[in-house]
Amino acid sequence: MTQTLPERTIDPDKLMSFVFRAVDEVGATLNTALVVMGDKLGYYTVMADGRPVTPAELAERTSTSEHYAREWLNNQAAGAIVEYDAATRRYTLPAEHAVALADPTSPAYLAGFFQLALGTVHDSESIHRAAIDGDGLGWHEHHTDVHHGCERFFRTMYNGHLLNEWIPALDGVAAKLQAGGKVADVGCGHGASTILLAKAFPNATFVGSDYHEASIAVARERAAAAGVSDRVTFEVSPATGFTGTGYDLIAMFDCLHDMGDPVGAARHVREAIAPDGTWMVVEPMAGDRVEDNLNTVGRAYYGFSTLLCTPASLSQDVGLALGTQAGPAKIRDVSTAAGFTSFRTAASTPFNNVFEVRP
């Protein structure tokens, strides 16, 4: 049924400005898939040396079709991701962009972020239905690009900040782990954070847990490949049921807001933590008020919250649905409800807040 809009005064310039912005939005949406395409086909890797290429040369060096390489390069040039020289008809990937798109060791590496976004959008039809009936969509029900993209994106954060900034910001934690502490990594996914910590603290022991069985299988394989399986174990369990007690450090990396019952999970942490232990909660960067988050990072996170994190919470028991932009006050409320008495922001990055919570 066609709905007639109420009569309102229209500013033609403002209207056309929005129309062109909308065209840019559609281009950005398509570009998410094209960046993932460039990542998976090796286009960025081949261009990372900075040498200008033609479509034919890029196709030959990646064993792909020249037709697709040509259109992909033109799209990337129109979006200012690669540079085009009209005189030579060659395309160049700037060094700064290569760091972000072709160097997995870089703290600015973003290929996984695009993969996570593409996988999230892939399941949007299921979210449309869930929004009508109020149901959720579990993490395990999403496209595999969600699982792999999430790990790739957040591994970048861990490589850049976990050992050099976040652990040192926690009172006394580094010393305990150096001496042989006991760590639980709850909601560990593919185990990137667990393995990174295990390699840095060879005297400590680690238990990683996640309800997603496929992720735990990957984590076990990667722990074996990293040579830390003698000190790292992984188990399939929800955040309210991971095993063990007396932990010196319990970590939750970007997952508390995804949980259906974050208060129940926090209470389980309170039971499992040592009397002088530390609960490290890493959450997406957010302020406590909506207006604090109306920015570039907040926009992306509200998008993930609508399509990924809130549905994940609603698919579980309780379904509190904190949202990706919960903010420090709500996280503090969760910790207080669980019986913790100490809460502070220990560190932050443009993408994360790191909270230190203690009994």
Side-chain angles (χ1 to χ4, degrees), residues 3-359:
Q3 181 179 357
T4 302
L5 294 176
E7 291 212 15
R8 300 167 63 188
T9 301
I10 300 297
D11 179 337
D13 292 336
K14 188 174 182 179
L15 172 60
M16 290 312 299
S17 176
F18 179 73
V19 167
F20 282 109
R21 178 190 159 194
V23 172
D24 194 47
E25 292 283 306
V26 172
T29 301
L30 295 169
N31 185 57
T32 298
L34 290 169
V35 169
V36 173
M37 177 180 176
D39 175 48
K40 291 186 175 182
L41 295 181
Y43 288 160
Y44 295 121
T45 301
V46 164
M47 298 181 71
D49 60 10
R51 288 187 293 168
V53 297
T54 64
E57 289 167 345
L58 181 61
E60 181 181 4
R61 293 171 66 183
T62 56
S63 299
T64 59
S65 165
E66 181 181 345
H67 300 294
Y68 287 96
R70 180 192 66 221
E71 297 306 303
W72 181 86
L73 281 167
N74 286 335
N75 167 271
Q76 298 292 279
I81 293 178
V82 305
E83 297 172 347
Y84 177 63
D85 185 334
T88 63
R89 297 185 179 182
R90 291 177 177 271
Y91 304 77
T92 304
L93 181 66
E96 296 79 7
H97 299 188
V99 167
L101 295 170
D103 182 4
T105 67
S106 165
Y109 186 56
L110 294 173
F113 200 31
F114 283 93
Q115 185 180 9
L116 170 60
L118 183 62
T120 299
V121 172
H122 182 277
D123 299 316
S124 60
E125 185 60 37
S126 297
I127 304 304
H128 299 167
R129 294 193 296 269
I132 294 171
D133 56 32
D135 286 342
L137 189 73
W139 182 261
H140 61 286
E141 298 177 270
H142 279 281
H143 191 278
T144 55
D145 272 342
V146 167
H147 311 136
H148 293 285
C150 184
E151 191 269 345
R152 293 176 73 199
F153 174 59
F154 286 110
R155 175 160 32 101
T156 298
M157 303 295 106
Y158 308 150
N159 288 340
H161 304 286
L162 178 55
L163 299 179
N164 295 328
E165 299 171 27
W166 298 351
I167 292 296
L170 304 175
D171 187 21
V173 168
K176 288 180 182 178
L177 300 189
Q178 288 166 354
K182 186 177 179 182
V183 180
D185 187 357
V186 181
C188 67
H190 290 176
S193 50
T194 324
I195 294 168
L196 185 63
L197 285 168
K199 292 171 70 175
F201 297 101
N203 295 321
T205 57
F206 299 82
V207 177
S209 60
D210 200 292
Y211 94 94
H212 188 219
E213 188 171 354
S215 289
I216 289 298
V218 172
R220 287 170 176 160
E221 292 175 0
R222 294 189 177 177
V228 295
S229 293
D230 58 327
R231 295 179 295 106
V232 178
T233 58
F234 289 102
E235 62 181 27
V236 178
S237 63
T240 54
F242 64 90
T243 61
T245 57
Y247 289 107
D248 297 293
L249 174 67
I250 297 180
M252 288 186 182
F253 294 95
D254 289 284
C255 63
L256 183 66
H257 63 274
D258 294 302
M259 296 176 187
D261 185 11
V263 175
R267 287 182 178 137
H268 189 63
V269 170
R270 183 68 183 83
E271 294 169 356
I273 204 166
D276 62 344
T278 299
W279 180 24
M280 176 172 64
V281 182
V282 180
E283 281 287 295
M285 171 55 69
D288 291 322
R289 304 172 301 170
V290 170
E291 55 266 36
D292 296 332
N293 306 319
L294 301 183
N295 51 54
T296 301
V297 174
R299 182 189 186 208
Y301 280 154
Y302 277 128
F304 283 119
S305 189
T306 307
L307 296 172
L308 183 62
C309 304
T310 297
S313 178
L314 291 173
S315 73
Q316 304 168 53
D317 291 340
V318 181
L320 188 60
L322 284 174
T324 309
Q325 295 295 89
K330 288 183 180 178
I331 306 302
R332 180 193 291 270
D333 288 345
V334 168
S335 68
T336 301
F340 287 92
T341 62
S342 175
F343 180 98
R344 73 179 180 93
T345 301
S348 63
T349 74
F351 291 101
N352 290 104
N353 278 320
V354 180
F355 304 114
E356 178 190 80
V357 188
R358 306 193 71 176

